[in-house]
Amino acid sequence: MRPVDIYAEKKSVRTIILIILPVLLFILSFFLKEAGGPYYLNYYDPGYVYLVNSLNLMQMEDIGHTDHPGTSLQIFGAVILKIIFWGRNDVQILDTVFSNPELYLNILNKCLVTLNCIALFCLGIFVYSKTSNIFFSLLIQLSPFISFEIFYGLVIVSPENFLILSVLSLSAVLVYYVYDKNSDKHMFALSMIFAVICGFGSVSKLNFIPICLLPLFILKGLKYKLIFTGGTVLVFIILFSPALAKLSGFSVWAGNLILNSGIHGKTNLAMFDLSLYFKNIILIFSKDIFFAVIYLLIFAVLILSLIVNPQKKSGQKEITCGKERKVLFAILIAITFQILVVAKNYLPYAQYYIIPSLMFSIPGLAFLISYSLKSFKTYFSFRPSVIFIAAIIIVSVFSAYEISNSINESLQFRNESYKINNLIKEYSKSELVIPSVGTANEDCALALCTMYGYSGKRISVYRPVFSKKSSSDIFHNFWENKLFSLSDRIDIQKEISSKKKIIVQLMQVTTIEMIVKMLKEDYNINVKDWKQILKNSNGESIYEIYTE
């Protein structure tokens, strides 16, 4: 066999090996989404809102939702929807989309997942081209498999998909920096690439900003650090431009997040609980044990490298080893800073806020193994391939366990959601039903889009469409303990007072006492009795309320 044929055969085998995990990621994300059921059962926030605002942007109209700010996702959604609905007018588009919004959310999600799978494949090929180490490449490709939270980010229509993409991209740049012998000559190019990725990640979701510390530890000299910082800000502004009209509102939201504590910055910082803050940090690590172990390993090895004199190397090996150590330090600092920031506004269900840190734990592990094998060779002697294979097996087994549990939990959640959702649909045929936005309810998914100006200036366009599709006329906003309607023609007080019995669907955080108090204070409606009809294992409940 000729050398060129051998090379082509090896390249083909390498490609087949490195495409396995991206294909597996796509398949597993599909099954996890199927296990979870329709978006309206459990994670329509923020998917439905992003669908509406992608439609707005597609029509070159006002964006209503800028909390994350998430404009990168809205631009992406607008492009996909524009391709799908090329040549159709606004009325046709709205009728088509909201006759089956789940279909279009699934299309957007599959496009996002496909994009991440392509990025994962390209990462594997690129890493191999720089390291010639198939096991190092496979280990880094396991980055998205390490936690259920990452899979959660994959299966929803949210900015988390772009955070995953950003970390995969940053991992490739770090590999280039460490293993390309000419990388030090390309600091300007590196600073610009870092800026594009970090600007994109930050405008997708603000919790990516702590990760932007990482390039500052990699780039040499103040000049390139300033170029990176300025470039990041510029990319952020360009991608944020569709929402410039909402800049003041976004600034207030972001300011509250920074200056206050609690979820979404709703608690005054004067009430900041330091003990709770430290408990949150412990909780973040305890919820992802494998992540915590890798974090501690990186920390321990870096400390050890200060105490024990690593084996001296010469030439390029010494340079590479130094870069690996610098990257490990940068990853550790970035992860630490993100955890410290997120812990201030943390709630137990918000573990997905540290997806970038979770993702970086596997590249960190890969660099850690490579660095340790070079630096501490005199203290232990193992074949590098054996260590990498062992790491791949351990990560794979842990990931399989996580994914299996995730699918089982999603199935249980879906079944419990259907149980309460189906009963609500039966009640809706004959009774006044008031579901709380946030519960498993298709009508609530649409109602969410009309809250807090999330639909932008086109709310008058969406409301009739949603009202026509919805079987509920009145909804409960549990954040403010208020009622609202999709239709301006509905008199809430008159509608409720005309009924002797109403049905409410409540979240775990909403008590029946809150509803009774709100009815009395806001609508002068006295409740003489109530009865719990059903409470599922998800914490949702249905009550019959009897009025005087």
Side-chain angles (χ1 to χ4, degrees):
M1 185 177 290
R2 293 177 301 172
V4 67
D5 294 331
I6 295 174
Y7 173 78
E9 184 177 339
K10 286 183 177 180
K11 187 176 180 181
S12 178
V13 171
R14 178 202 66 188
T15 302
I16 291 171
I17 292 172
L18 293 175
I19 205 172
I20 292 173
L21 288 175
V23 170
L24 183 61
L25 183 66
F26 186 89
I27 294 171
L28 288 173
S29 65
F30 172 81
F31 280 113
L32 189 59
K33 172 61 181 69
E34 288 299 301
Y39 285 107
Y40 66 78
L41 286 182
N42 41 39
Y43 32 66
Y44 54 81
D45 180 8
Y48 270 71
V49 175
Y50 274 106
L51 177 63
V52 164
N53 282 281
S54 293
L55 286 169
N56 285 357
L57 193 56
M58 183 190 75
Q59 300 289 62
M60 304 301 289
E61 294 285 353
D62 176 60
I63 288 177
H65 182 269
T66 59
D67 287 358
H68 296 135
T71 46
S72 56
L73 180 58
Q74 292 165 353
I75 293 169
F76 179 85
V79 171
I80 299 299
L81 292 173
K82 189 68 175 179
I83 293 171
I84 294 172
F85 294 113
W86 189 268
R88 299 197 197 182
N89 62 43
D90 190 38
V91 174
Q92 292 172 325
I93 292 170
L94 292 182
D95 286 344
T96 304
V97 170
F98 293 109
S99 65
N100 189 0
E102 290 286 326
L103 170 64
Y104 294 96
L105 282 170
N106 274 292
I107 290 173
L108 290 179
N109 177 252
K110 292 301 176 287
C111 290
L112 290 166
V113 172
T114 300
L115 186 62
N116 276 307
C117 290
I118 292 171
L120 188 64
F121 173 67
C122 292
L123 174 63
I125 294 294
F126 181 79
V127 172
Y128 183 80
S129 72
K130 295 300 175 184
T131 64
S132 299
N133 188 332
I134 191 68
F135 302 116
F136 188 101
S137 306
L138 286 171
L139 182 56
I140 281 191
Q141 278 192 320
L142 284 170
S143 300
F145 295 85
I146 192 64
S147 171
F148 161 71
E149 302 298 338
I150 299 171
F151 270 92
Y152 173 78
L154 276 171
V155 301
I156 59 178
V157 178
S158 78
E160 274 69 25
N161 269 281
F162 281 161
L163 301 191
I164 293 168
L165 179 64
S166 297
V167 173
L168 294 175
S169 303
L170 278 179
S171 299
V173 181
L174 292 178
V175 167
Y176 172 80
Y177 166 72
V178 173
Y179 300 111
D180 190 297
K181 63 181 181 180
N182 295 315
S183 61
D184 283 333
K185 300 176 183 178
H186 301 135
M187 280 293 131
F188 177 78
L190 281 174
S191 62
M192 294 305 296
I193 294 170
F194 275 134
V196 170
I197 297 171
C198 289
F200 174 78
S202 299
V203 82
S204 296
K205 200 158 188 177
L206 294 180
N207 61 321
F208 191 83
I209 290 177
I211 303 299
C212 297
L213 279 179
L214 193 153
L216 293 175
F217 289 93
I218 302 298
L219 296 168
K220 292 182 177 180
L222 180 61
K223 172 185 174 182
Y224 296 112
K225 288 176 173 43
L226 291 175
I227 290 173
F228 159 71
T229 303
T232 300
V233 172
L234 180 61
V235 171
F236 186 100
I237 292 172
I238 291 171
L239 292 176
F240 184 77
S241 59
L244 282 177
K246 297 285 184 179
L247 181 59
S248 60
F250 168 73
S251 300
V252 170
W253 186 88
N256 287 335
L257 198 64
I258 295 168
L259 299 175
N260 295 339
S261 62
I263 191 69
H264 297 159
K266 291 185 177 180
T267 304
N268 193 295
L269 200 58
M271 302 172 64
F272 181 71
D273 187 338
L274 189 60
S275 64
L276 177 61
Y277 179 71
F278 287 118
K279 286 179 182 177
N280 286 342
I281 293 174
I282 294 171
L283 186 59
I284 287 171
F285 282 112
S286 64
K287 290 194 74 171
D288 278 276
I289 297 299
F290 203 74
F291 162 69
V293 169
I294 295 173
Y295 178 90
L296 290 174
L297 280 174
I298 295 173
F299 181 81
V301 168
L302 288 175
I303 294 295
L304 187 63
S305 70
L306 297 176
I307 300 172
V308 179
N309 289 324
Q311 181 178 335
K312 293 293 182 180
K313 294 156 287 297
S314 60
Q316 187 60 40
K317 285 187 177 180
E318 177 67 24
I319 295 171
T320 299
C321 196
K323 287 182 175 180
E324 287 174 335
R325 188 172 182 274
K326 184 185 285 190
V327 165
L328 285 171
F329 180 76
I331 289 175
L332 185 71
I333 293 297
I335 289 176
T336 302
F337 188 52
Q338 186 181 44
I339 290 170
L340 292 175
V341 169
V342 168
K344 183 172 71 72
N345 306 92
Y346 185 77
L347 282 180
Y349 65 79
Q351 187 76 352
Y352 57 89
Y353 285 161
I354 65 160
I355 279 178
S357 291
L358 295 172
M359 288 277 295
F360 263 123
S361 63
I362 297 300
L365 178 61
F367 285 117
L368 178 70
I369 293 172
S370 182
Y371 172 74
S372 299
L373 288 170
K374 294 185 184 78
S375 298
F376 305 107
K377 194 173 183 179
T378 56
Y379 299 97
F380 59 87
S381 180
F382 294 100
R383 291 180 60 187
S385 59
V386 172
I387 301 298
F388 277 110
I389 290 172
I392 290 169
I393 292 172
I394 292 170
V395 174
S396 298
V397 169
F398 180 82
S399 298
Y401 173 78
E402 279 277 290
I403 292 164
S404 175
N405 279 350
S406 300
I407 290 176
N408 289 333
E409 288 176 12
S410 296
L411 284 169
Q412 181 181 350
F413 198 103
R414 183 191 70 182
N415 293 336
E416 288 296 296
S417 296
Y418 269 134
K419 186 188 299 183
I420 207 164
N421 193 262
N422 291 336
L423 183 56
I424 282 293
K425 286 182 178 180
E426 286 300 313
Y427 269 118
S428 296
K429 295 176 182 178
S430 57
E431 307 287 352
L432 173 62
V433 175
I434 302 177
S436 187
V437 175
T439 56
N441 188 301
E442 189 172 7
D443 295 343
C444 288
L446 297 173
L448 174 67
C449 299
T450 68
M451 293 169 57
Y452 303 119
Y454 285 162
S455 294
K457 295 177 182 177
R458 278 162 58 90
I459 190 169
S460 59
V461 175
Y462 291 116
R463 268 186 159 181
V465 177
F466 296 165
S467 182
K468 183 179 178 181
K469 181 177 174 59
S470 174
S471 57
S472 297
D473 294 317
I474 303 171
F475 298 87
H476 176 242
N477 175 351
F478 83 91
W479 288 279
E480 299 177 354
N481 197 28
K482 300 287 185 181
L483 298 180
F484 69 97
S485 174
L486 290 179
S487 174
D488 293 330
R489 297 193 298 270
I490 297 293
D491 185 327
I492 296 177
Q493 201 277 338
K494 184 177 180 181
E495 191 74 19
I496 297 176
S497 61
S498 66
K499 308 292 183 183
K500 294 299 181 183
K501 180 175 74 173
I502 60 176
I503 311 299
V504 292
Q505 180 183 2
L506 304 180
M507 298 178 67
Q508 186 176 12
V509 295
T510 311
T511 64
I512 186 63
E513 288 78 13
M514 288 172 59
I515 301 297
V516 171
K517 181 183 178 182
M518 177 266 297
L519 289 174
K520 174 62 178 175
E521 293 181 354
D522 293 356
Y523 300 99
N524 197 29
I525 294 174
N526 293 312
V527 174
K528 62 180 181 180
D529 198 11
W530 67 78
K531 179 171 65 174
Q532 186 181 88
I533 303 302
L534 175 66
K535 184 172 184 177
N536 65 15
S537 64
N538 300 340
E540 291 189 18
S541 56
I542 297 178
Y543 284 87
E544 287 184 352
I545 294 179
Y546 306 95
T547 62
E548 293 182 352

